[in-house]
Amino acid sequence: MEYETIIGLEVHVQLNTKSKLFSNAPTEFGKLPNSQANYVDAALPGTLPVLNEDAVKKAITFGLAINAEINNDSYFERKNYFYPDLPKGYQISQFKKPIVGMGYLDINLDTPKKIEIVRAHLEEDAGKSLHSLYPNTTGIDLNRAGSPLLEIVTSPCINNADEAVAYLKALHELVKFIGICDGNMQEGSFRCDVNISLRPKGEQKLGVRTEIKNLNSFKFIKSAILYEQERHTELLESSQKITQETRLYNPDKNITLTMRSKEEEQDYRYFQDPDLLPIKINEALFIEIKNKLPPLPQEIRASLADEGIQEDAINLLLADKANYDFFIEISNHTKALTKDICNWMRALYNLTLNERKLSFQDSPINAATLAILLNRIMDKSLNNAQAKAVLAEMLNSHDSIDAIVKKLGFSESISENTLEEIITSLFEDNPKQVAELKGGKDKLLGFFVGQAMKKTKGKASPVEITRIIKTKLELK
Ligand code: MN
């Protein structure tokens, strides 16, 4: 029997607001336990939640970026369950009316596919139980409690691990690029739950599903799906029952294990939170957010690919909004080709940013300065090799381009007459090669250019040398 895999994904994106969803406690990661939590997060009696406007704006930004309808009458509900790291005894979430309704994200594997996003809702994160800090005692850290999350849910429209990963990568790129999430997966800012079931091909009814919780790497997500797909297949083939449950992926053993049987919706006893008003978005705010929405990564990707830019160069530009802004800033200051701008950004990245884990935002050389260097190449006052040397020296000495050009001796330009004399004498010294070059042995052009570069100590541009050689020997 052939089976079809059906996957739906839920991603919890932590919104990068300064304070929490309903309190003014900070949201910084990696601080001392309970140093980023206040009375509201600890649910002390008498405290009340106050909605963070920035989180709402970020949710709307996301909705617009996936072409979704924004619900102008959404509200918060209490999702009741008991857990030590949830001091209120309920999580404030959205259930019936999420702020973001139906939208989509495109993926492009062999064929393009629209991944349907059915909803995205705002909710608060829970705290964390620390089991290994004290013997026989569990500690509670509320630093994460109340952090703003946007939970993004797809329909069960994904059919394999590759599609799931392609969607997640596109989503990850998007939320970083539109500036609503830092995308740090190790720190849990982007974590994924996978709902998976199998059914005989052609069958309409969905099979029993299992949920794999809290995956925070693309590699683990792929492995977990492949494992679970295999496990379901074996159970189905041997006519065994699949239990609807929540499972955890163990990356060391590359298996999934039962965590708990899945709660049903009614277990949570959702009801509207009486402490919070419905979210009404006025037209002016809506328009303000819409106007601030940057061009989207998928559109940029398509247009750069049309210009013949390679995928890894595009990935570098889209890895961070700051990278793309840097690219645009250079483009505003030079007429150099997109391809060349990408190459020089890559050079800067390789020379310094990568090693120091900096984004282009923190680049020691700013976009306008790099554009000046590109312009020097365009007007032929520097060749590529010289410009590379200047760039390296700029990182060393922080001197101006002019000062470095002078220091490296690139500014003592060679007059055209001198260059012609040098080339004439090269021809006299190498008559055999001249004859062969004239006879069509084009490779020798490189030989003469190289010799001339040597004689001029790299001060003449190879383009200029080539032009003079060709004119003198009447080559095409
Ligand atoms: Mn959730």
Side-chain angles (χ1 to χ4, degrees):
M1 175 112 54
E2 255 202 88
Y3 295 102
E4 181 186 27
T5 303
I6 308 287
I7 296 168
L9 299 172
E10 298 169 13
V11 175
H12 285 91
V13 162
Q14 184 173 335
L15 299 173
N16 56 357
T17 56
K18 286 202 173 64
S19 58
K20 298 205 172 159
L21 187 53
F22 301 112
S23 89
N24 62 4
T27 52
E28 246 183 281
F29 181 83
K31 297 285 170 182
L32 275 178
N34 298 311
S35 66
Q36 313 286 294
N38 67 16
Y39 304 126
V40 177
D41 307 312
L44 295 198
T47 58
L48 287 169
V50 177
L51 180 58
N52 183 333
E53 185 181 345
D54 195 32
V56 176
K57 285 183 180 171
K58 283 176 166 154
I60 296 170
T61 304
F62 175 75
L64 292 173
I66 59 158
N67 288 297
E69 37 183 307
I70 309 295
N71 289 323
N72 197 18
D73 51 356
S74 78
Y75 53 85
F76 289 100
E77 278 154 288
R78 292 184 180 178
K79 182 180 181 178
N80 298 278
Y81 64 96
F82 173 78
Y83 211 75
D85 61 21
L86 189 72
K88 288 195 296 292
Y90 60 86
Q91 176 195 29
I92 304 177
S93 182
Q94 298 191 298
F95 183 56
K96 282 206 191 90
K97 271 280 186 184
I99 183 157
V100 176
M102 198 72 105
Y104 63 87
L105 203 55
D106 292 315
I107 58 167
N108 207 339
L109 291 170
D110 294 331
T111 48
K113 179 169 177 173
K114 264 193 176 25
I115 303 297
E116 194 182 37
I117 293 171
V118 289
R119 59 184 284 145
H121 65 255
L122 281 165
E123 64 182 25
E124 58 179 347
D125 208 347
K128 209 164 112 188
S129 298
L130 306 169
H131 299 293
S132 52
L133 211 55
Y134 311 103
N136 305 319
T137 307
T138 293
I140 300 291
D141 177 10
L142 295 177
N143 281 357
R144 222 179 52 186
S147 289
L149 301 176
L150 190 64
E151 180 174 336
I152 302 158
V153 183
T154 73
S155 70
C157 66
I158 295 162
N159 296 110
N160 57 56
D162 289 337
E163 282 181 12
V165 171
Y167 160 74
L168 291 167
K169 284 188 171 167
L171 183 65
H172 185 250
E173 182 173 85
L174 178 68
V175 295
K176 277 180 71 182
F177 201 80
I178 60 176
I180 66 167
C181 171
D182 66 19
N184 193 321
M185 294 177 82
Q186 284 87 39
E187 294 178 4
S189 300
F190 186 96
R191 43 192 208 259
C192 177
D193 303 340
V194 177
N195 283 291
I196 180 169
S197 66
L198 267 63
R199 67 181 171 196
K201 245 197 171 133
E203 174 80 57
Q204 285 301 302
K205 217 179 125 220
L206 289 168
V208 175
R209 70 188 158 100
T210 53
E211 182 177 15
I212 320 163
K213 271 251 177 258
N214 275 332
L215 294 156
N216 67 348
S217 102
F218 297 123
K219 192 172 150 242
F220 293 168
I221 289 159
K222 181 166 180 170
S223 306
I225 291 175
L226 292 176
Y227 176 85
E228 201 59 10
Q229 200 168 254
E230 190 69 31
R231 195 180 68 87
H232 280 227
T233 307
E234 277 170 21
L235 288 171
L236 288 169
E237 277 177 347
S238 57
S239 306
Q240 292 181 67
K241 193 172 162 267
I242 295 168
T243 316
Q244 181 176 333
E245 62 187 356
T246 302
R247 300 176 69 87
L248 275 186
Y249 175 68
N250 179 327
D252 299 326
K253 297 188 178 141
N254 188 28
I255 55 170
T256 66
L257 293 166
T258 301
M259 181 185 168
R260 59 168 189 253
S261 67
K262 176 76 185 159
E263 293 90 348
E264 294 293 329
E265 246 155 45
Q266 60 265 30
D267 293 340
Y268 291 127
R269 292 161 289 130
Y270 279 101
F271 66 92
Q272 190 171 348
D273 193 315
D275 291 339
L276 288 155
L277 290 167
I279 306 172
K280 294 277 179 204
I281 305 148
N282 68 46
E283 192 63 19
L285 177 68
F286 192 77
I287 290 166
E288 179 198 315
I289 296 170
K290 202 165 196 169
N291 288 341
K292 274 193 199 146
L293 195 68
L296 300 176
Q298 288 188 328
E299 295 159 12
I300 298 168
R301 190 171 281 282
S303 95
L304 288 174
D306 280 348
E307 279 190 68
I309 306 302
Q310 298 294 310
E311 199 182 337
D312 60 339
I314 300 176
N315 287 342
L316 180 65
L317 293 189
L318 295 180
D320 198 310
K321 175 74 173 13
N323 297 10
Y324 184 69
D325 290 344
F326 195 90
F327 165 77
I328 293 296
E329 182 71 9
I330 297 178
S331 310
N332 289 341
H333 288 92
T334 178
K335 291 197 168 62
L337 297 173
T338 304
K339 175 173 70 75
D340 293 327
I341 298 174
C342 288
N343 284 339
W344 281 90
M345 280 182 66
R346 169 69 67 187
L348 178 59
Y349 180 78
N350 288 343
L351 270 173
T352 176
L353 302 179
N354 186 22
E355 201 177 299
R356 295 160 61 185
K357 299 223 179 316
L358 296 176
S359 86
F360 279 89
Q361 193 171 12
D362 318 303
S363 167
I365 292 169
N366 67 30
T369 308
L370 194 57
I372 295 175
L373 198 59
L374 272 151
N375 287 336
R376 296 291 168 88
I377 303 169
M378 298 270 292
D379 70 16
K380 300 201 172 72
S381 59
L382 290 174
N383 64 39
N384 256 301
Q386 291 171 334
K388 281 246 162 76
V390 171
L391 180 63
E393 185 55 26
M394 280 160 82
L395 289 166
N396 257 335
S397 67
H398 305 288
D399 285 340
S400 72
I401 292 184
D402 285 336
I404 291 168
V405 165
K406 207 164 170 201
K407 185 161 83 185
L408 297 179
F410 297 152
S411 63
E412 305 151 31
S413 63
I414 291 193
S415 74
E416 191 159 335
N417 276 341
T418 316
L419 199 53
E420 286 196 11
E421 279 166 26
I422 288 170
I423 291 168
T424 308
S425 82
L426 271 176
F427 287 167
E428 283 166 9
D429 294 345
N430 303 281
K432 196 171 141 252
Q433 282 85 342
V434 171
E436 285 177 1
L437 177 57
K438 279 176 110 172
K441 201 170 173 189
D442 292 343
K443 266 203 297 193
L444 284 165
L445 187 58
F447 162 77
F448 281 112
V449 174
Q451 291 295 312
M453 291 283 285
K454 225 185 219 171
K455 292 231 154 150
T456 59
K457 298 196 174 69
K459 283 170 198 163
S461 103
V463 180
E464 188 61 8
I465 297 171
T466 306
R467 189 186 61 77
I468 295 173
I469 294 174
K470 283 187 169 173
T471 316
K472 277 188 181 294
L473 299 181
E474 292 172 349
L475 301 174
K476 261 182 270 168

